Amino acid sequence: MRVSRPRTIQTKFLMGLAAIALGAGLLFSCGLYVHLRGLLEAEVADKAEMVLDQVEAVRRYVRETLRPAMYQALPAHEFIIEAMSTSYVSRKVMEHTELSPSQLQYRRVAVGARNPRFEADNRELALIEHFRANPGEDRVSRFETIEGAEYYITAKPVRFTASCMNCHGDPADAPQVLLDRYGTGRGFGHELDSIAGLTSVVLPVNSALTRIRGATLGFVVLSCAGALLCFGVVNILFNRVVVFNLRRVLDVFPLYFKEQAQSPILSRLDDLGDMDEGDEIDEIMHAVEEMARTLSSARQELEHYAGNLRCMVDERTKDLSLEAMERRSDVLLFVSLLDALKTSQTRRELIETTLPSIGTRYGASRAAFICTLSSQNFFSWPEKDRRPDLPADWRQVLAEARPVFTHDTALIPVQPSDSALEGYLCLYWDAEAETEPGQMRDVLIALGRQMGIAMENLNALDTLLRHNTMLESIFEGIADPLMLMDGSCSVIMANEAARQLSIDTDADAEDNPLPRMLGLDPAAGERCPLRQVLQQGRPTSYEATLSGQRSFALNVYPLPGSRDRGGRVVVYARENTAEKRMLESIQQSEKLVTVGKLAAGLAHEINNPLGIILCYAELLRSAADSDQQRADVDVIIRHTKRAQRVMQDLLNFARPRGGGHGPCDPVSVIAVLADVFSLQAQKTGTALDIALPPDLPLVATSAEALEQIMGNLLLNALDAVSQDPAAPGRITVSASHDPEAGTVTITTADNGPGIAPEHLRRIFDPFFTTKEVGKGTGLGLAVTYGLVQQAGGTIEAANGGGAVFTLTLPVAPPAAGDAP
């Protein structure tokens, strides 16, 4: 009897899914059981190990601590079993634990045990034999079934060491108390390092294994319930996604073959529907086979029909190929025209390059181009000097810019648009030529328009290049920095002066730092001049100071019509550093002249009365009778002398000692000053460092002037540094020589508080001082400035961890007898 197969693919799928789920459930159940049993084994093994370690600790304590102490306390040959026997003490300790035998069983047994209670049973004898057979193994842990219950057993062998042989070796060596209690028949005769017993811990695990089996069974039941639920969901999903769509596929055939009642495909499907075997896939496969047979038959019929069409298609293809070749030639001609535009620099080059290609493409015997601006200007191919033949009404043709086509001539206007006419393209054919100009009228007119566009672009490009060259020459010819910038403060264009300024200011920067140094930085917000110009649309002017104290007057002009591109501005910078320095020098000189005149007048008018006052005060002091009178006169004399010193400073300022032309040796002058000021520096705890190269050249000033200049600078530095011993002051004098500039630079620096920024511009003004009242007149640096100016040098003040004065003096010219 033949067994029929499942009716549908759904049944097959669910049966296979059930088999997979059953196998997976069994696999996971076995894995869960093994995992839980392994966890139980690890737990009980750790517990048994802990018990054995505790027992061993007790035994070690008795053996290493308690027994030696008892031997020392007891008379010779005395032995107390309850305190000195490790086996006895360990058993008693384990008997007094709170764990019941149902929770833990501890046994220490031996073969021929002294106490029959601790004689090894058959199971324990088997373990002892196992340890004897495997002397390298020191532990056995495993599950065992004892009287129908599951237990976990951990056993360790008992080896008789040298300390054990007193009680378990020769009875003659054993303590008398052992012989009295147990006799000599049992527990003796063991050999050193022999295995005659074991220590074991037995833990009952029957209840835990029962719970594990129950958990595994519960997992199996839960898995079955989940599988049934999953089958239900998969059944619905499979029926909706697979079976339903397969049925739709099967319904397609009756839908499209309904007019063919005797279709072999429908007949095959009906036969499959009446059979008990096969499923939807089988039906589709058989239907596809029948459809393939039908399509194969239809293909043969189509091939027979296609054979009749092949001849017609070949003829039409031949015509289309010829037409396509012509269109391809036209396209290549247009491309060559574009290439000629890229390589040509003038209209003449463009025309001479394209005329041979045009004439060859259209089979013309000759071609020519005549310019409309001058009828005398023409180009011809292949004969360059042959003038083109024009119709009688050629002037009217040129005026109307219309094409002319005859059986052997084509005159095509070359114009990019209807308003502009560059010239005429003339093509001529021989009488026996197969090509008629009228057949390619549209192509030739398009060719003329393309040539016109190319000529117009060439003219525009030539004009643009001329204008660009002229503007570039003007832009680069401006001596001051000039930049074109966008709204994000990026430089679009810059002339050579701006580029050189950027290199001079920061040669190591990756980008152009010049806009930021000129104050053009969008990060400054509304204060940025560039943003103000873009927002207000009006030009602005301001000044900016770059590194190295270079000053620039900047003018920012907006470009109209650039807002749609983010805004554009033109920045013009003019350096006015020299002008400002000259103005400051003139102002300083005017101040010195004015104050000098005032000082000279005051000194002359006041110095004489002061001398008289001082003379009479000294007479009064010599004639004074009491100490009080002399003290009062001393006050007058002291203040009079102070007023004279002020007057002397005014006279020195008004008539400073000439700087002279020198020469003098700066190293020797500064060395003398260092010796003079070193005592004062030591009193205040200030370090005076003189770092001068020994090969400094002579400078063009007198030694007296240089001594006065450096003396004023050192006095100011000593007054500025800290007087606190915890933070000692430091003054450093250094120098360098610049052979190219012919100058010597001397720098005096201190570690004091420095000069306030608002005082830097007034530091050399007469009578300006930052010292306390009575400690300075404000003339020292003014006199120093005048002496430096007379010597042809410069002096500058700055801050660098303190006040820094930089003195630059010219090098003295060589003497008449010196070698050049």
Side-chain angles (χ1 to χ4, degrees), residues 538-555:
R538 297 192 302 270
T540 186
S541 300
Y542 65 98
E543 286 191 358
T545 302
L546 274 64
S547 61
Q549 302 299 321
R550 298 180 65 182
S551 177
F552 285 83
L554 278 86
N555 298 278

Side-chain angles (χ1 to χ4, degrees), residues 62 66 70 74 78-89 92 114 167 175-182:
V62 173
L66 187 56
M70 294 297 291
L74 295 175
E78 288 292 329
F79 188 83
I80 301 176
I81 299 177
E82 290 79 0
M84 302 174 69
S85 175
T86 58
S87 300
Y88 185 89
V89 173
K92 287 299 181 181
R114 182 175 291 114
C167 299
Q176 186 63 36
V177 65
L178 289 178
L179 299 176
D180 295 341
R181 179 176 294 191
Y182 298 107

Side-chain angles (χ1 to χ4, degrees), residues 121-413:
D121 57 17
N122 294 331
R123 178 177 55 81
E124 292 166 341
L125 288 174
L127 289 173
I128 292 173
E129 292 299 329
H130 173 77
F131 285 124
R132 290 174 176 173
N134 301 278
E137 190 172 352
D138 61 350
R139 188 185 306 274
V140 170
S141 297
R142 64 191 180 192
F143 288 98
E144 284 193 8
T145 303
I146 303 174
E147 297 178 357
E150 294 284 344
Y151 293 89
Y152 185 81
I153 299 175
T154 299
K156 298 174 64 175
V158 175
R159 298 179 183 273
F160 288 92
T161 61
S163 61
C164 301
M165 299 309 294
N166 291 335
C167 299
H168 297 278
D170 190 354
D173 299 330
Q176 186 63 36
V177 65
L178 289 178
L179 299 176
D180 295 341
R181 179 176 294 191
Y182 298 107
T184 61
R186 299 175 63 86
F188 296 101
H190 295 290
E191 297 179 357
L192 184 64
D193 291 334
S194 64
I195 299 175
L198 60 84
T199 302
S200 66
V201 175
V202 181
L203 297 172
V205 295
N206 196 51
S207 59
L209 289 174
T210 302
R211 290 195 298 272
I212 291 174
R213 296 188 184 97
T216 305
L217 182 60
F219 177 77
V220 172
V221 174
L222 183 62
S223 300
C224 292
L228 291 176
L229 178 62
C230 182
F231 288 164
V233 174
V234 170
N235 184 25
I236 297 173
L237 184 63
F238 189 86
N239 186 55
R240 181 68 184 85
V241 175
V242 178
V243 177
F244 177 74
N245 291 325
L246 289 177
R247 285 299 176 187
R248 287 180 57 193
V249 173
L250 292 173
D251 293 340
V252 169
F253 294 100
L255 179 64
Y256 288 97
F257 290 93
K258 60 184 179 181
E259 296 180 358
Q260 302 178 8
Q262 301 299 326
S263 172
I265 298 178
L266 295 182
S267 301
R268 183 62 177 169
L269 291 178
D270 292 339
D271 295 340
L272 288 173
D274 295 337
M275 295 173 63
D276 292 334
E277 59 184 25
D279 51 25
E280 290 85 352
I281 298 297
D282 294 329
E283 295 181 17
I284 293 176
M285 289 181 60
H286 288 294
V288 170
E289 290 176 359
E290 293 298 332
M291 185 173 63
R293 295 190 186 96
T294 304
L295 291 177
S296 177
S297 176
R299 179 186 176 185
Q300 294 177 358
E301 295 178 0
L302 289 175
E303 288 178 351
H304 178 72
Y305 178 74
N308 297 329
L309 293 177
R310 186 169 301 165
C311 296
M312 294 185 292
V313 171
D314 291 342
E315 293 177 0
R316 181 57 180 165
T317 300
K318 183 178 180 181
D319 296 338
L320 292 176
S321 298
L322 294 175
E323 185 177 354
M325 291 178 62
E326 293 180 357
R327 297 292 79 80
R328 182 173 179 273
S329 300
D330 294 336
V331 171
L332 292 176
L333 178 62
F334 279 83
V335 171
S336 64
L337 185 61
L338 294 176
D339 291 338
L341 174 63
K342 292 191 297 183
T343 57
S344 301
Q345 301 293 329
T346 61
R347 290 161 52 95
R348 183 183 187 91
E349 292 182 9
L350 177 64
I351 295 171
E352 290 180 349
T353 302
T354 56
L355 273 182
S357 301
I358 296 173
T360 303
R361 161 65 188 89
Y362 297 109
S365 59
R366 58 192 179 95
F369 177 84
I370 185 170
C371 299
T372 57
L373 299 179
S374 175
S375 59
Q376 302 299 324
N377 194 3
F378 68 92
F379 304 93
S380 181
W381 173 84
E383 301 174 6
K384 294 185 178 181
D385 298 332
R386 183 175 179 178
R387 189 175 185 83
D389 299 331
L390 299 177
D393 58 344
W394 66 272
R395 297 182 182 275
Q396 184 176 357
V397 171
L398 292 178
E400 297 177 357
R402 57 184 174 85
V404 176
F405 292 96
T406 63
H407 67 285
D408 60 352
T409 304
L411 304 179
I412 305 101

